[in-house]
Amino acid sequence: MGRSSRGKPNWLRPRPVERIELNEEYSGRRALAAILLLVLGLGMIGYAIYQMLTPQTEWITIEAHSSAGISCAQEFHLLYRPESRSAAADRKAVTELYTQLCRRAYEDFHSMESFEGVNNIFAINRHPNEALEVDGALYKALAAVERSGSRLIYLGPVYERYESIVFCEDDGQLVDYDPRLNQEIARDYGELAGYAADPRSVRVELLGENRVRLYVSEAYLDYARREGVERFIDFSWTRNAFIADFLAEELIARGYTNGALSSYDGFVRNLDGSGRDYSLQLYDRRGSSVYVAAVMDYRGPMSIVSLWDYPISGLDEYRFYVPDSGEVRTPYLDIADGVCRNALPTLTGYARDRGCGEILLAMAPLYIADTLDSGALEDLATEGIQSIRCEDEVIYPTEAGVSLHGLYEQAGMRYTVASANK
């Protein structure tokens, strides 16, 4: 399906801030644009997912070299504290490595473009039922998906169509892409979701030694030829969780642990095991207003995943669409029918011994639902994946003793913290 004249994203690189509150009312995309300008003007890095509590002068932002071409670096922010005895050399080495890794990840996970010598998602989709050797990072991500039992990546054809929503100029164009407004599209999405949910129709087979085969049944192939389906699999909105893990693990393997990595769409890998203090801003939406409900302090290596149903940064404009009704269209599509759903405005999960990809795959079926299964969140906590959520001005942590402060209290609102189950 075609895009509107709005074109593709103009990637921006906002910088981190100490604290920000988005508590202005918005209605439709015109008011939304004003909020985005406010956010970018204050220099927010995506979700403002964390802040350093140590002196800011010790930290630098590592930026990938532009000479390497387009990469995923525009969607990530790496703060690093070089070794004082060789700060210049340390910074140079980290920058060169980060540049290479960002380009490699960009090519591996790309679903719409081929690159010479790279068997990426695009190549896998174009060679169904053929064995291909892929990069280790992509193989590891596909293996994680397989272990989890998640079928989200198989919604590739639905993602391809649904992504056109964010390029609509106005609500009048929305009916051409939105299954909530168009029964014909809902039927198409439902049919595609039926194939996506069925491993007998489509699955990635892991053959070992970084070799994979995308199995697609004859029935699905016939349907694909008739309907123009080419993107059988796509990491889509989950992509940066796996890229964050790849970048973090490669940096750690080479000894570069004095840093913290975050993506604009809510994935964080803190590499720092020195015991320095870090904090995570916890957001909540009440109606059409967004608040920093509280701040969580933590120390040590950590993987964090935050999912939210509202745009709060410039790049979020290309993940969400806010119609005049205020019922935001999000990228979180349900494997059952391809319709976007979220059980609550914000859900944050974190773990000290898991990657972002694993956390996300565990959280996704709980978040992409009409109602939240809080008992299932408690079950995840017993497995080492903690979570924090806000409901009706109450903050619910699953981890006892978690450090929360800066509770929002203003304009008749007062957030409180519920006791965590032991």
Side-chain angles (χ1 to χ4, degrees), residues 257-316:
T257 59
N258 295 332
L261 175 76
S262 71
S263 71
Y264 82 97
D265 48 355
F267 305 114
V268 175
R269 286 293 302 263
N270 187 353
L271 319 179
D272 190 354
S274 68
R276 297 183 184 93
D277 292 325
Y278 289 78
S279 70
L280 172 72
Q281 292 179 320
L282 301 172
Y283 282 75
D284 186 32
R285 176 179 60 79
R286 297 284 288 163
S288 58
S289 299
V290 181
Y291 305 88
V292 178
V295 177
M296 181 185 81
D297 293 338
Y298 68 96
R299 292 179 179 178
M302 187 82 77
S303 299
I304 303 170
V305 172
S306 291
L307 305 176
W308 60 85
D309 71 347
Y310 43 85
I312 57 175
S313 79
L315 294 184
D316 268 344

Side-chain angles (χ1 to χ4, degrees), residues 107-151:
E107 294 181 350
D108 281 348
F109 287 85
H110 212 298
S111 63
M112 295 181 288
E113 186 177 350
S114 63
F115 302 94
E116 185 176 357
V118 178
N119 285 325
N120 58 6
I121 295 296
F122 179 89
I124 293 173
N125 281 324
R126 290 303 178 97
H127 295 86
N129 299 313
E130 297 181 29
L132 298 176
E133 183 175 349
V134 300
D135 186 74
L138 180 54
Y139 189 89
K140 188 172 183 179
L142 290 169
V145 172
E146 175 67 19
R147 286 194 304 272
S148 74
S150 172
R151 302 289 299 174

